[in-house]
Amino acid sequence: VEHVYGAPWFVMLWAVWVIAGGAYIFRRGLHRRPFTFALHAALVLILLGAFTTWMWGEQGTMQLRQGKSVSGYLTDEGSVQHFPFNVVLDTFVVATYAGTDTPQDYVSRITITDETTKHEESAEVSMNRICSYRGFRLYQSGYDADGKGSTLRVSHDPWGIGLTYAGYALLLVSMMGFFFDKRSM
């Protein structure tokens, strides 16, 4: 999957779609129909957000052990990147389904200490709860067998996420607008 969606030829395919879509919009005069134009603009924004993530977004993992401070993470490319803050795992809990050893949820309670702003914050990261701090998103992805360590997935993509969400919001508005546009029937 990563050899297709992350490949340069696939990104070039996105660019071709955007250019062809823009040419189609103006050649057919769709730019004079606001909701149709907004629908196509939303798709362009979504693809632009994906491109921004592909170009400048960073993903990786960080390994936490109880009581130990961590100030960086290992990127998917294998390099170490440092946070502008420190993370400490306070506690880790695995909740299992009744009568089994199968994990239902695992929860990391962490403390984030930001030396530059002199701010300290407690947060909880679980299978369904993401922690966001200064443009970094922390996801629960695994844990150590002894229950004293946790693995968090790290994503740093402040621009791509915003563009993509703006595209989805515009897509929703344009689709709702079709209900009120007499020419869309």
Side-chain angles (χ1 to χ4, degrees), residues 121-150:
E121 179 177 315
S122 294
E124 187 174 279
V125 184
S126 68
M127 291 169 59
N128 293 314
R129 179 176 287 171
I130 299 167
C131 173
S132 294
Y133 187 77
R134 289 187 62 178
F136 290 88
R137 294 167 63 98
L138 307 175
Y139 305 85
Q140 183 71 56
S141 67
Y143 60 92
D144 295 349
D146 65 359
K148 296 185 188 316
S150 176

Side-chain angles (χ1 to χ4, degrees), residues 6-177:
W9 65 266
F10 193 76
V11 174
M12 291 305 293
L13 184 64
W14 291 348
V16 168
W17 273 60
V18 169
I19 292 167
Y24 177 79
I25 288 170
F26 287 104
R27 200 173 70 206
R28 297 282 307 226
L30 297 179
H31 60 282
R32 287 181 237 127
R33 298 177 61 193
F35 295 115
T36 302
F37 181 76
L39 178 99
H40 288 83
L43 297 175
V44 168
L45 266 179
I46 292 167
L47 286 175
L48 186 61
F51 178 73
T52 303
T53 297
W54 182 74
M55 284 295 292
W56 296 287
E58 292 180 349
Q59 284 77 34
T61 56
M62 66 185 294
Q63 181 67 36
L64 296 172
R65 293 291 292 173
Q66 281 185 348
K68 305 243 183 198
S69 179
V70 175
S71 63
Y73 63 98
L74 183 65
T75 67
D76 289 348
E77 289 79 34
S79 65
V80 175
Q81 292 293 325
H82 293 281
F83 294 121
F85 52 86
N86 293 323
V87 180
V88 175
L89 178 63
D90 298 322
T91 60
F92 178 76
V93 177
V94 177
T96 59
Y97 287 104
T100 71
D101 291 333
T102 306
Q104 178 181 12
D105 194 10
Y106 29 100
V107 180
S108 296
R109 289 183 183 84
I110 60 174
T111 300
I112 298 171
T113 306
D114 195 328
E115 294 297 328
T116 57
T117 62
K118 304 295 184 210
H119 177 76
E120 187 170 285
E121 179 177 315
S122 294
E124 187 174 279
V125 184
S126 68
M127 291 169 59
N128 293 314
R129 179 176 287 171
I130 299 167
C131 173
S132 294
Y133 187 77
R134 289 187 62 178
F136 290 88
R137 294 167 63 98
L138 307 175
Y139 305 85
Q140 183 71 56
S141 67
Y143 60 92
D144 295 349
D146 65 359
K148 296 185 188 316
S150 176
T151 303
L152 300 183
R153 187 84 179 133
V154 178
S155 176
H156 186 242
D157 181 30
W159 297 104
I161 290 172
L163 284 171
T164 304
Y165 285 176
Y168 284 121
L170 185 58
L171 182 66
L172 176 66
V173 168
S174 65
M175 292 178 90
M176 289 173 49

